Amino acid sequence: MAGTLYITGDVAADRLLNTDANALLIGMLLDQQIPMEWAFAGPATLQARLGHLDPALIAAMDPAEFVLLCCQKPAIHRFPGSMGKRIHQLCQVLVDDYAGDATNLWRDVDTGRDLYRRLKALPGFGDEKSKIFVAILSKTQGITLDGWQDAAGKFGDDVPRSVADITDESSLATVREWKKAQKAANKDKQDRPLA
């Protein structure tokens, strides 16, 4: 991998995401209920603490010990305990089903739909997260499977709405503005009186 994702504000952390599939997958796992930049910086934080991001070595760790590592300040997430457990579970699945390498999730699949199904079966990956990851791989990592746009749903279009659309400072600002506008629109809907 040698992708173009630009998200953390740290050159080394972004390089890790763009060259290590396991880091990218863990970053996507962490991308919920915290700013995107914080989520995707998590893999670099873990690598600095562990000296690696090897799923086999993480899966072999005592889960409670791994969670404590995730909770060290600065924590890797707003909810470091639950997300630490989830990372540990994800690494165990990668070891059990994909020879400890996230690239094996897409290496032997033919379609975006097949990849989507594999992603959705991972701990912590629901419908939207799986679709966004399909889009990230296609838009920023050069992994374009047949039907990837259908599998990515709205995240496969040209509207800059998610981390999959961020490749530089300008696109980061555009995605932030889109998210801000969506949040405001949703708040307006909630504040409207019922007719």
Side-chain angles (χ1 to χ4, degrees):
M1 287 175 44
T4 60
L5 184 65
Y6 175 97
I7 184 65
T8 67
D10 178 285
V11 173
D14 282 347
R15 185 179 317 111
L16 178 65
L17 295 168
N18 285 305
T19 59
D20 184 322
N22 298 317
L24 187 60
L25 191 68
I26 290 169
M28 187 73 237
L29 175 68
L30 291 171
D31 189 22
Q32 63 186 55
Q33 299 180 320
I34 60 173
M36 297 178 293
E37 298 87 341
W38 184 8
F40 282 91
T45 302
L46 283 174
Q47 184 183 53
R49 290 177 187 172
L50 291 167
H52 65 81
L53 267 185
D54 184 331
L57 295 176
I58 292 172
M61 289 180 72
D62 175 85
E65 189 178 310
F66 182 73
V67 165
L68 284 175
L69 185 116
C70 293
C71 292
Q72 288 176 10
K73 293 190 186 217
I76 61 155
H77 195 274
R78 179 178 171 199
F79 304 109
S82 60
M83 294 309 286
K85 287 177 192 171
R86 218 172 256 163
I87 292 168
H88 194 271
Q89 292 166 347
L90 175 66
C91 288
Q92 189 63 60
V93 170
L94 288 175
V95 169
D96 292 346
D97 299 340
Y98 298 101
D101 185 352
T103 60
N104 290 328
L105 280 160
W106 56 85
R107 184 167 282 146
D108 64 346
V109 296
D110 295 321
T111 69
R113 179 62 51 198
D114 293 336
L115 174 58
Y116 166 81
R117 283 190 201 104
R118 284 185 174 186
L119 290 165
K120 195 160 181 243
L122 295 174
F125 276 74
D127 178 62
E128 189 165 286
K129 193 174 292 244
S130 298
K131 288 177 178 179
I132 293 171
F133 199 76
V134 169
I136 286 174
L137 289 176
S138 299
K139 291 180 175 183
T140 72
Q141 305 300 312
I143 313 290
T144 51
L145 300 168
D146 286 343
W148 77 267
Q149 288 174 304
D150 289 336
K154 65 185 178 185
F155 303 103
D157 67 18
D158 292 332
V159 175
R161 69 176 83 231
S162 78
V163 67
D165 301 300
I166 301 172
T167 58
D168 57 25
E169 200 166 318
S170 174
S171 56
L172 174 60
T174 301
V175 168
R176 278 192 189 132
E177 284 302 312
W178 187 89
K179 287 179 175 279
K180 187 177 175 182
Q182 291 303 114
K183 191 174 184 179
N186 288 338
K187 184 174 179 353
D188 285 347
K189 284 180 189 176
Q190 291 172 351
D191 291 344
R192 279 189 207 134
L194 295 175

